[in-house]
Amino acid sequence: MTDFVLLFPGQGSQKPGMGKDLYDTFPAARDVFDDADAALGTSLSTLCFNGPAEELTLTHNAQPALLTHGAAVWAVTRDRLANRVRAAAGHSLGEFTAYYAAGTLSLGDAVRLVRRFSAISKSPSSRSARRRLPKPG
């Protein structure tokens, strides 16, 4: 049997319509989107499925949307793949989806965390702190 490594994408791969086919086809994916909506207190699923793209690409929306989409894909494939997955990783934001897939974060905690992280990382004090970091080399 083949072993697998899960690799989840980072911000930039979001687009309106993402996850709609999963939601409509698989109860496990529907549960993930519904749980993310409940955890955030807003209809993230509607934004994922219908856009508009300008709103979906805002960091505070894109990050939880991508995490939720990755979690939905994992929910659909988990029963068939879980015993063959050897590692989970992610590019940038995808790291949090990997934590969820590995079972170290609940979905609710993960979407709330990335929503908060995106707010902190766009704050003026965060940008100012990054400018003060010394450049390598």
Side-chain angles (χ1 to χ4, degrees):
M1 241 189 238
T2 304
D3 290 341
F4 292 93
V5 172
L6 304 176
L7 181 60
F8 296 99
Q11 189 171 341
S13 54
Q14 70 278 350
K15 67 176 189 168
M18 62 187 250
K20 178 79 167 94
D21 54 343
L22 294 170
Y23 185 93
D24 290 342
T25 307
F26 300 101
R30 191 172 311 114
D31 290 345
V32 167
F33 277 97
D34 292 347
D35 290 350
D37 287 351
L40 293 175
T42 187
S43 186
L44 181 67
S45 58
T46 299
L47 185 58
C48 289
F49 304 156
N50 302 317
E54 298 78 24
E55 191 174 338
L56 180 60
T57 58
L58 296 173
T59 299
H60 71 277
N61 292 326
Q63 291 190 353
L66 286 166
L67 186 147
T68 301
H69 182 267
V73 170
W74 177 237
V76 168
T77 59
R78 178 178 36 233
D79 289 343
R80 290 184 297 267
L81 297 180
N83 63 343
R84 299 183 330 195
V85 172
R86 298 299 168 246
H91 175 259
S92 188
L93 156 80
E95 175 183 0
F96 294 98
T97 315
Y99 292 143
Y100 165 76
T104 60
L105 281 175
S106 71
L107 180 66
D109 287 345
V111 295
R112 285 188 297 269
L113 178 65
V114 298
R115 168 73 47 97
R116 182 69 182 128
F117 178 78
S118 67
I120 291 169
S121 56
K122 74 177 187 177
S123 73
S125 60
S126 174
R127 287 192 303 272
S128 175
R130 283 193 303 263
R131 281 194 298 268
R132 289 192 303 265
L133 291 175
K135 295 189 182 196

